[in-house]
Amino acid sequence: LLLRVLRRSSAPLAKDERVRRAIELIHAEFATELCIDDLAKAAHMSRFHFSRAFRAETGLAPYAYLQRHRVERAA
């Protein structure tokens, strides 16, 4: 069970380096208060462009990805 959880949480990162930086921030700081502005700033993008790029790379909105990661870590 533990191996399954670890495999899911270590999913491949995005191809776009900017989105990858935001995902790394989510993985490192998931327990803190992160907002879309923090993630967009880490990616060096505007909020709007970041949200679209993030969804295109991951299939999820940034906040949904953050919530999913938190739930996986809690499990």
Side-chain angles (χ1 to χ4, degrees), residues 16-22 36-54:
D16 186 333
E17 177 64 32
R18 300 168 300 176
V19 173
R20 187 177 310 132
R21 282 193 298 261
I36 188 74
D37 291 325
D38 298 328
L39 299 174
K41 187 175 182 180
H44 304 290
M45 301 167 82
S46 71
R47 289 177 64 178
F48 177 76
H49 188 70
F50 170 72
S51 292
R52 292 187 64 175
F54 193 94

Side-chain angles (χ1 to χ4, degrees), residues 11-72:
L13 297 176
K15 294 177 187 175
D16 186 333
E17 177 64 32
R18 300 168 300 176
V19 173
R20 187 177 310 132
R21 282 193 298 261
I23 291 173
E24 289 170 354
L25 178 63
I26 288 172
H27 288 206
E29 302 291 330
F30 67 91
T32 64
E33 277 191 46
L34 287 174
C35 66
I36 188 74
D37 291 325
D38 298 328
L39 299 174
K41 187 175 182 180
H44 304 290
M45 301 167 82
S46 71
R47 289 177 64 178
F48 177 76
H49 188 70
F50 170 72
S51 292
R52 292 187 64 175
F54 193 94
R55 185 182 293 271
E57 287 283 334
T58 64
L60 293 170
Y63 189 72
Y65 185 94
L66 173 61
Q67 290 300 96
R68 187 183 76 182
H69 184 70
R70 286 176 172 163
V71 168
E72 287 176 354

